[in-house]
Amino acid sequence: MPEAAPHSHSAGRQPVLFLPHGGGPCFFMDWPDTWDAMAAYLRGVRNTLPQKPDAILVVSGHWETRVPTVTSGAHPSLIYDYYGFPPHTYQLDYAAPGSPPLAQTVQHLLADAGIPAEQDPHRGFDHGVFIPFMLAFEKADIPVVELSLQQDMDPAQHLRIGQALAPLRDQNILIVGTGLTYHNLRHFMTGDPRSNDAARQFDTWLTQAMTQPETQRNQALVQWESTPAARICHPREDHLLPLMVVAGAAGADSGVRTYSDTVMGKALSGFTFGG
């Protein structure tokens, strides 16, 4: 198997993280109070790690492909995949390097698990990566590789993808999923009390599920759609699936809710496994 990074060390096993990435470029606009707690949480993430990672593998809710695909360019560009925001938000910069060796390792790990995977040397980082990372890893001095979601949206498959990638944690690679534990954009802005209640119900269920032992946790995630309020909170599961990958990579490590907030009436959470 190729080495994941040229200078890997084993001072401590990296945790796996599920981070909220906010709404569009929300942290870089005049949006008083709404996103302050989330921004503060993201700024503190790097201080929770056992050591500086040699590289980061990130799964965002904003990239879907037929088979899992990794960015393999040495200098990925940015994809400003949000619309209707102020002009300055399309000038944001995050110049983290890529890591072709890590991309190769990811592809090999998935192939070893019987999961076909591809590389994309031209794909850049979408805003589900660079917006939260501009706060969490603001120096942009850690190589980053992005992994796509699989278009079939199968939760069990995304758990398997995470399980296949778990060995990276012992090579000082940080695995991060970014999304939102509530992602119904139509309801986000309305303040409808019924959707607020649904968000709280789902957040309570999800937090309980993440703190269960591995087998029960994964079973709960596979059956997430049967949870009351699930489809109110996630009409489409693209922003929840990165958590499936993270949970798969967590293995026997228990989940801990490390972020909890209410944004525009909607309960939101972030989780850490291990570390």
Side-chain angles (χ1 to χ4, degrees):
M1 183 192 307
E3 292 185 1
H7 303 294
S8 287
H9 54 80
S10 56
R13 190 184 199 211
Q14 288 291 352
V16 289
L17 311 177
F18 178 78
L19 303 180
H21 63 45
C26 59
F27 309 119
F28 304 97
M29 297 170 53
D30 183 15
W31 208 333
D33 302 326
T34 304
W35 302 101
D36 290 357
M38 188 181 295
Y41 168 71
L42 292 170
R43 289 190 182 99
V45 161
R46 62 189 176 277
N47 297 323
T48 69
L49 303 178
Q51 69 271 336
K52 181 180 178 180
D54 287 333
I56 301 172
L57 175 65
V58 57
V59 184
S60 158
H62 290 276
W63 185 24
E64 302 167 25
T65 54
R66 182 183 58 84
V67 299
T69 304
V70 284
T71 58
S72 57
H75 302 285
S77 59
L78 301 186
I79 303 171
Y80 301 95
D81 52 340
Y82 41 76
Y83 308 97
F85 289 94
H88 77 271
T89 64
Y90 299 91
Q91 305 298 321
L92 296 173
D93 184 43
Y94 189 73
S99 175
L102 176 55
Q104 183 77 6
T105 298
V106 169
Q107 187 178 26
H108 277 272
L109 285 171
L110 292 173
D112 289 346
I115 302 171
E118 297 177 354
Q119 298 184 33
D120 186 340
H122 305 296
R123 165 83 185 191
F125 299 140
D126 57 63
H127 82 273
V129 176
F130 73 83
I131 292 296
F133 279 23
M134 286 178 70
L135 300 181
F137 307 102
E138 80 283 0
K139 293 182 180 179
D141 59 349
I142 303 172
V144 177
V145 166
E146 183 175 0
L147 174 66
S148 69
L149 298 173
Q150 193 165 304
Q151 287 172 338
D152 63 11
M153 298 280 170
D154 178 2
Q157 177 70 351
H158 287 83
L159 283 164
R160 286 192 291 270
I161 289 168
Q163 290 165 348
L165 298 173
L168 294 173
R169 298 175 58 194
D170 292 313
Q171 300 178 39
N172 202 36
I173 306 302
L174 179 67
I175 299 175
V176 178
T178 78
L180 284 175
T181 52
Y182 180 97
H183 195 251
N184 185 328
L185 295 181
R186 186 166 62 87
H187 288 178
F188 231 130
M189 305 301 291
T190 66
D192 186 327
R194 291 169 296 178
S195 61
N196 292 354
D197 290 343
R200 283 192 292 271
Q201 292 172 23
F202 187 76
D203 188 71
T204 298
W205 169 84
L206 189 62
T207 300
Q208 292 173 345
M210 292 306 95
T211 56
Q212 290 179 359
E214 178 184 8
T215 300
Q216 293 94 315
R217 178 186 73 217
N218 292 353
Q219 183 178 9
L221 285 173
V222 168
Q223 300 172 345
W224 77 274
E225 194 175 357
S226 65
T227 305
R231 281 300 179 188
I232 296 175
C233 298
H234 292 278
R236 202 168 177 275
E237 53 266 49
D238 48 337
H239 277 62
L240 187 63
L241 283 174
L243 179 57
M244 313 290 186
V245 179
V246 165
D253 287 338
S254 298
V256 177
R257 182 168 67 176
T258 48
Y259 165 78
S260 179
D261 193 16
T262 301
V263 177
M264 292 183 281
K266 309 302 187 287
L268 297 174
S269 291
F271 299 96
T272 297
F273 300 80

